Amino acid sequence: SDLSALLHVLLTPTDQLQLAQVLKSPIYQLSDEDLMTLMLMVRQGQAPTLWDALAIDSRFEVIRTQISSWRRLSETLPVHDLLDHIFSEAAIRVKYAQAVSPLEKDQVISNLDAYLLLALNVDGGRYPSLSRFIRELRLLSAGEEQETPDEGEYFEGADSSDIENSRVRVMTIHAAKGLEAKFVILLHANAKPTQHEE
């Protein structure tokens, strides 16, 4: 969600809610006090928006300069290349790895890499604009939210040429009852039950 918020900010830097999320995220790690200072500038009329407030306080000049630089790149680079540049320049993986517990580290890094891969995989990475990519993300997110807890995504009516476009659905035997699929993989099927499971 932090990366999606960042992409929103690149399109609309005056979106204060999205910008606040980016500023508080591990990308910039602003403290509550710093964020309140910026918001106070807006409230007191010193700046029309949070984005403008960043320009007033010299402590935040680097942040505004960096985001402005990424905004300019977003006009010419494909989304995947833009994200790849941001990941490298802002040391995204390192910052997020440091911001979470050791137990969460691998999962968080995997999520970041999956987000980057998504920009390459969906529509073959050919997005006419950043706004189109954001719209695709919204559609994907809306589809996931409409599913019930026991229902993941599955691919219907696929022939062999569509296999690489299908999705893997991991579910319990109970949830899978009544569903049909061309391929079913049972994990751990040869395992001997433990005394507890008997």
Side-chain angles (χ1 to χ4, degrees):
S1 66
D2 292 342
L3 291 174
S4 294
L6 177 59
L7 295 183
H8 277 282
V9 169
L10 297 185
L11 273 181
T12 315
T14 54
D15 187 328
Q16 300 195 118
L17 190 60
Q18 301 286 354
L19 181 55
Q21 179 175 346
V22 172
L23 295 175
K24 286 285 296 170
S25 75
I27 301 170
Y28 292 115
Q29 301 176 357
L30 256 63
S31 66
D32 290 338
E33 292 76 19
D34 285 339
L35 196 56
M36 286 306 296
T37 299
L38 291 167
M39 291 304 294
L40 198 58
M41 289 181 196
V42 175
R43 224 175 258 165
Q44 293 175 344
Q46 297 174 32
T49 66
L50 190 57
W51 175 249
D52 297 299
L54 287 173
I56 294 173
D57 193 325
S58 59
R59 291 178 300 156
F60 310 115
E61 186 179 343
V62 173
I63 295 173
R64 187 177 160 107
T65 301
Q66 189 171 56
I67 292 175
S68 295
S69 157
W70 295 340
R71 288 190 71 212
R72 286 190 296 275
L73 285 174
S74 72
E75 296 169 5
T76 56
L77 287 180
V79 177
H80 175 268
D81 294 354
L82 172 66
L83 283 169
D84 193 42
H85 175 82
I86 291 170
F87 269 53
S88 175
E89 185 178 304
I92 298 290
R93 288 182 186 88
V94 172
K95 287 178 179 176
Y96 274 84
Q98 291 172 344
V100 298
S101 71
L103 292 174
E104 296 173 308
K105 181 180 170 183
D106 289 342
Q107 182 62 55
V108 168
I109 298 300
S110 294
N111 289 347
L112 291 169
D113 290 339
Y115 192 91
L116 187 59
L117 190 61
L118 182 65
L120 190 62
N121 286 347
V122 180
D123 289 345
R126 296 183 297 272
Y127 293 99
S129 66
L130 187 55
S131 59
R132 170 72 188 274
F133 177 69
I134 290 171
R135 189 171 69 83
E136 291 290 333
L137 286 178
R138 275 198 206 116
L139 291 173
L140 284 171
S141 180
E144 289 170 4
E145 287 171 6
Q146 288 170 2
E147 293 173 354
T148 62
D150 284 343
E151 292 179 321
E153 296 174 344
Y154 65 99
F155 200 71
E156 257 181 86
D159 59 32
S160 58
S161 65
D162 289 330
I163 292 300
E164 62 187 45
N165 296 324
S166 63
R167 297 180 180 176
V168 174
R169 183 176 182 188
V170 179
M171 51 192 348
T172 63
I173 291 174
H174 174 75
K177 254 192 273 183
L179 295 178
E180 293 182 14
K182 285 192 174 195
F183 301 97
V184 176
I185 300 170
L186 297 177
L187 301 178
H188 225 269
N190 291 333
K192 294 181 181 177
T194 63
Q195 193 171 23
H196 174 71
E197 291 172 330
E198 290 173 348

